[in-house]
Amino acid sequence: MQFDAVIPSLLGPILLRSNGAGLLAGLYFTDQSDCPDSREAAPLRPARLDPSAGELDGRPIRSLKARRPDPGGDLFAADMPVPDGFAADESDAPLELLQASTPDGAVALFHQTRRELSEYLRGARRVFDVPLAPEGTPFQQAVWNAMRLIPHGQTVSYGELACMAGLESRHSRAVGAAVGRNPISILIPCHRVLAGDGTLNGYSGGLARKAQLLRIEGFVLEGR
């Protein structure tokens, strides 16, 4: 049985889904097109989000390349604003349970995820300890497991990810489809997968968020 909660974040509201056994099965921005509806709650998606749209400084984000700055620079971006209503202490941030019968184990999981995610977005965490249980086909699982091996502050291409998953680079299109179906954003870091030429390409949570996640991990975005 699945249980859901909505939390605030520096990148917007997020739906968390527990599989009922103390494992995280989903992490979705509530405005992304594949965010699931939750039982006992109204649909969360106010609008469909185009995964390849968005601009930064007047340039299409999908055309930008992510580059690591020279050694010695600041690792984390320091200009992420705290939205109005978001508590400075993540322990005070509201957590909305979407089922009144949510068991204690799922509630504890949601609190842990909220805390670790807040730490990551503020530049204080690089590795997550939340136990994960994404549901998908064996092919998708292989791709998602490979994505979990991409270190903080590094990126790979779809072809490289295919090889990491035990496939061949020619499977990059199928791998890209599996990346797009990732049910646990950020913790399974699909934002670290770029096109072969280094451009941001697309992101189910919106390219503006992918750009910000890469900046948090120390990348500089620049035009071709």
Short mmCIF file of all heavy atoms in Angstrom, two decimals, residues 76 159 172:
data_model
loop_
_atom_site.label_atom_id
_atom_site.label_comp_id
_atom_site.label_asym_id
_atom_site.label_seq_id
_atom_site.Cartn_x
_atom_site.Cartn_y
_atom_site.Cartn_z
N PHE A 76 29.72 25.09 -4.11
CA PHE A 76 28.27 25.22 -4.12
C PHE A 76 27.84 26.62 -4.53
O PHE A 76 28.46 27.61 -4.16
CB PHE A 76 27.70 24.92 -2.73
CG PHE A 76 27.97 23.52 -2.28
CD1 PHE A 76 28.90 23.26 -1.29
CD2 PHE A 76 27.31 22.45 -2.85
CE1 PHE A 76 29.16 21.97 -0.88
CE2 PHE A 76 27.56 21.17 -2.46
CZ PHE A 76 28.49 20.91 -1.47
N GLY A 159 25.06 7.93 -23.64
CA GLY A 159 25.84 6.79 -24.11
C GLY A 159 26.71 6.21 -23.01
O GLY A 159 26.84 5.00 -22.87
N SER A 172 21.57 4.39 -26.33
CA SER A 172 21.40 5.65 -25.61
C SER A 172 19.98 6.20 -25.71
O SER A 172 19.49 6.81 -24.76
CB SER A 172 22.39 6.70 -26.13
OG SER A 172 22.23 6.92 -27.52
#
